[in-house]
Amino acid sequence: MTSNDSTYAAPQDSDQKRSQKKSVWEVLWVSLKLGLTSFGGPTAHLGYFHHEYVQRRKWLDEKAYADLVALCQFLPGPASSQVGIGIGLTRAGLLGGLAAWLGFTLPSVVILIAFAMLIGGGSVESYGWLKGLKIVAVVIVAQAILGMGKTLAPDRIRMSIVGIAAAIALVWASPISQIVIIMAAAVVGWFLYRQQQVKETTVFAVPIGRTIAVNSLILFGVLLVLLPLMRMWTGSDWVAMIDSFYRSGSLVFGGGHVVLPLLERELIPMGWLSENEFLAGYGAAQAVPGPLFTFAAYLGAISNGIFGAVVATLSIFLPAFLLVVGVLPFWNHIRRLPYVQAMLMGVNAAVVGILLGALYDPIWVQAINGTMEFVLAVFLFILLVCWKLPPWMIVAGGALGGWVLL
């Protein structure tokens, strides 16, 4: 990571180029490891990212991580994937962002293509290891909330914001509730902390030029308008597929579960797959690690084979990549403004509250249904927090424990 806050690409000598290549491979390796072990949905992914990127590798601090999470909550698309892309961008530029996305996404894409090709309409809902992985998600998210809460909600006011945000997120379950909570917390933070002397914000350099950023935002908007027109003009099934997945990835707030009805309305009436095939793939997508948006790989494979899976996956994730590349270079400057820092003090506490609400529903209510599930969760939590075992061992232990419980 560069140590300055420049928003343009500076000339690099051969040593710097070698260092950047090393960073890209490092990002790819770390994100691939996360892509193989991050079960439990977007909230759990943020917990895995927090453990790996903040606590273990210290690529960014708690404040920078929370600010990045807050930004991605505002953007449409898969928030956890966008956070990973953002970390990759700050670590190694555009190639780093691409490496972070590829590593985190590739394992579940491969598994879901294999499921579409070989298993078809089978079901994974009754597998014991899946139950265990849901319990692992409880543990990972609980650890992340514990760490973030200590740093981002150290006083009574911000702890109160945590509680209120969690309550609203639970009572008002809506795709827009998170955005409303964050906006309200920003207003509260500005009102309560605008006169407070804030600490200097840690700078994370974004080695991307503003020209590239602006062009990314323009391309995002052009594709959103142009693809439906091309679909009408050409009548091509491939253009229709790209348009359906790109539009779904561009217009959804709230994560992978929210994109489900959008894709169902887009694809099933087209006759690309049946209702049973759709639901079977959705169940499989929840059982694999990585982002739920890789459900697109299954849908593309069912309708148009491996090439269709690749096209569908790239189409649904492209908006997320363009938005992060377009916004992040400006965000690093904006977040250091005094009044923005005051707003972020409220927002970051609200982010912890949203995670706390998600810890209960859907993560806790789906995973902990009896005494033995709770005992396994406590045991895994102690191994992770007190004994400092790596997450992959917790995942393996949770899968084994879930299999035994079944």
Side-chain angles (χ1 to χ4, degrees):
M1 187 190 304
T2 58
S3 59
N4 55 53
D5 189 29
S6 174
T7 56
Y8 59 88
Q12 295 179 316
D13 57 24
S14 59
D15 289 339
Q16 288 176 313
K17 290 181 179 179
R18 283 195 295 269
S19 177
Q20 186 181 42
K21 288 181 181 179
K22 181 179 179 181
S23 295
V24 171
W25 284 109
E26 182 185 26
V27 169
L28 179 61
W29 167 247
V30 175
S31 61
L32 181 61
K33 183 172 68 172
L34 288 167
L36 289 166
T37 57
S38 296
F39 293 88
T43 306
H45 299 160
L46 296 178
Y48 282 97
F49 288 174
H50 179 270
H51 182 277
E52 187 68 28
Y53 292 130
V54 179
Q55 292 185 326
R56 186 165 181 264
R57 298 186 178 271
K58 303 188 186 302
W59 285 2
L60 66 171
D61 62 16
E62 297 273 4
K63 181 81 166 58
Y65 180 73
D67 291 352
L68 181 59
V69 172
L71 171 64
C72 293
Q73 296 285 354
F74 275 112
L75 300 176
S80 61
S81 295
Q82 289 170 315
V83 170
I85 291 169
I87 294 172
L89 288 171
T90 62
R91 186 70 179 174
L94 282 173
L95 289 178
L98 183 61
W101 170 79
L102 182 63
F104 186 57
T105 306
L106 186 60
S108 56
V109 167
V110 172
I111 295 171
L112 289 173
I113 290 175
F115 181 78
M117 297 289 99
L118 303 177
I119 303 177
S123 174
V124 295
E125 290 300 317
S126 62
Y127 290 179
W129 58 266
L130 177 57
K131 179 69 174 179
L133 295 178
K134 291 180 179 180
I135 296 174
V136 170
V138 173
V139 173
I140 295 293
V141 175
Q143 186 212 27
I145 292 172
L146 185 64
M148 295 176 70
K150 289 179 180 178
T151 303
L152 304 176
D155 53 53
R156 289 181 295 180
I157 293 176
R158 279 178 281 181
M159 186 56 69
S160 299
I161 294 175
V162 170
I164 294 171
I168 295 174
L170 287 169
V171 173
W172 180 26
S174 166
I176 66 169
S177 61
Q178 293 186 5
I179 299 175
V180 173
I181 291 169
I182 289 174
M183 293 176 65
V187 174
V188 172
W190 174 82
F191 182 77
L192 295 177
Y193 294 106
R194 67 186 188 278
Q195 302 296 336
Q196 181 171 317
Q197 185 69 32
V198 294
K199 297 180 181 179
E200 181 66 24
T201 301
T202 303
V203 175
F204 54 92
V206 184
I208 301 171
R210 292 194 175 186
T211 300
I212 295 176
V214 171
N215 287 337
S216 294
L217 294 176
I218 292 173
L219 181 59
F220 168 80
V222 168
L223 289 174
L224 192 59
V225 174
L226 187 59
L227 284 172
L229 297 177
M230 292 179 61
R231 181 176 185 168
M232 289 188 298
W233 293 336
T234 65
S236 168
D237 285 343
W238 287 105
V239 174
M241 171 179 281
I242 295 171
D243 172 50
S244 294
F245 284 100
Y246 184 87
R247 193 152 26 87
S248 297
S250 300
L251 301 178
V252 62
F253 290 88
H257 293 282
V258 182
V259 82
L260 174 66
L262 289 178
L263 291 174
E264 188 173 19
R265 288 194 298 268
E266 286 282 342
L267 304 182
I268 293 178
M270 295 290 294
W272 290 345
L273 74 166
S274 68
E275 181 76 25
N276 287 337
E277 288 173 327
F278 185 91
L279 294 176
Y282 183 61
Q286 295 184 83
V288 301
L292 192 56
F293 266 52
T294 54
F295 180 40
Y298 168 85
L299 298 174
I302 285 289
S303 56
N304 287 290
I306 294 177
F307 186 69
V310 173
V311 170
T313 303
L314 293 177
S315 298
I316 202 169
F317 278 101
L318 181 58
F321 193 88
L322 292 176
L323 286 171
V324 175
V325 172
V327 173
L328 198 58
F330 302 100
W331 179 240
N332 196 47
H333 169 72
I334 292 171
R335 64 189 281 269
R336 289 189 292 156
L337 299 174
Y339 68 90
V340 174
Q341 289 193 40
M343 295 168 70
L344 285 172
M345 291 175 75
V347 168
N348 290 337
V351 168
V352 177
I354 291 171
L355 293 176
L356 180 60
L359 173 62
Y360 174 73
D361 188 6
I363 296 176
W364 181 282
V365 297
Q366 291 186 4
I368 309 298
N369 299 315
T371 302
M372 295 309 298
E373 287 91 346
F374 180 75
V375 169
L376 178 59
V378 171
F379 179 70
L380 293 174
F381 184 82
I382 292 173
L383 291 178
L384 179 65
V385 175
C386 301
W387 290 87
K388 309 296 183 183
L389 293 187
W392 70 265
M393 294 186 67
I394 304 301
V395 169
L400 178 61
W403 177 75
V404 171
L405 289 179
L406 185 69

